Amino acid sequence: MLKNLFKPRPGVRIGDALYALAVEQARNVGFYTRLGVADRIDARFELYTLHVLLLVLRLRDENTEAGRDAAQALFDVYVSALDHVLREEGVGDVAVGKKMRKLGEALYGRMNAYETPLRDADAAALAEALARNVYAETGAERAADLARYALAARAGLAAQKFNEVLAKPAWTDV
């Protein structure tokens, strides 16, 4: 029994690696220079969420247990990273629960706002959601460019083989 308790779980490693790859892409300087995303913590959260969602959707689209497990592992690592950031920022144990609830609601809201337009390849609806959340204004000029990027990234990930996505997702150029 103790052997199983201390045995490394492969899903966690996959989630950690995929999360690191999503964050690396979300930190691409092109988002901030070419697409005009503000270099603020809330805008970075939005880009991280978008990229994690793009990977989660691709993994779930595999429609296998391995795909579902990898998607869940990635999502779990992302939620854990949010908790870790709050603690690093000095949020006390009592307040972490409340803050995580708010972040969880924001995360769930963003994923709901982006998922349908991404699945339907609806650039206008996606641009509207991105304008509201990433740029914090309706009708943001660059939101259409970011929507085109996200749809191209989704298509590129869909064309990539599952094991290749796990190893190194082929992101679209910004």
Side-chain angles (χ1 to χ4, degrees):
M1 184 168 142
L2 285 177
K3 245 193 247 184
N4 289 336
L5 181 64
F6 295 109
K7 186 169 73 172
R9 296 179 312 199
V12 173
R13 286 193 305 256
I14 289 170
D16 285 338
L18 288 170
Y19 176 68
L21 293 166
V23 167
E24 179 185 338
Q25 180 63 13
R27 289 181 176 165
N28 184 313
V29 71
F31 291 112
Y32 306 97
T33 56
R34 286 184 228 128
L35 296 182
V37 174
D39 190 12
R40 298 184 323 256
I41 193 163
D42 58 326
R44 287 191 302 270
F45 166 78
E46 299 296 344
L47 287 178
Y48 293 176
T49 300
L50 176 64
H51 286 87
V52 166
L53 178 61
L54 286 165
L55 280 178
V56 164
L57 290 176
R58 168 57 184 95
L59 296 168
R60 274 203 245 137
D61 287 347
E62 193 67 21
N63 203 23
T64 63
E65 185 176 348
R68 287 186 296 275
D69 289 349
Q72 187 62 53
L74 169 57
F75 183 80
D76 291 347
V77 168
Y78 185 35
V79 170
S80 179
L82 293 173
D83 179 87
H84 183 72
V85 165
L86 287 176
R87 292 178 189 280
E88 277 187 347
E89 293 296 318
V91 176
D93 288 339
V94 174
V96 165
K98 289 179 184 177
K99 297 241 184 216
M100 277 304 295
R101 181 173 172 229
K102 278 184 135 178
L103 272 175
E105 289 170 357
L107 177 62
Y108 183 72
R110 292 335 182 260
M111 288 189 162
N112 277 338
Y114 303 153
E115 183 173 1
T116 300
L118 282 167
R119 286 195 182 279
D120 296 343
D122 185 345
L126 184 58
E128 183 180 314
L130 292 169
R132 189 173 53 252
N133 296 314
V134 176
Y135 295 95
E137 58 183 75
T138 55
E141 275 178 38
R142 304 311 307 251
D145 295 332
L146 183 55
R148 277 191 293 280
Y149 159 81
L151 291 171
R154 175 139 167 81
L157 290 169
Q160 196 177 8
K161 291 182 180 172
F162 178 71
N163 288 331
E164 292 171 355
V165 172
L166 292 179
K168 181 81 170 142
W171 296 106
T172 301
D173 291 333
V174 181

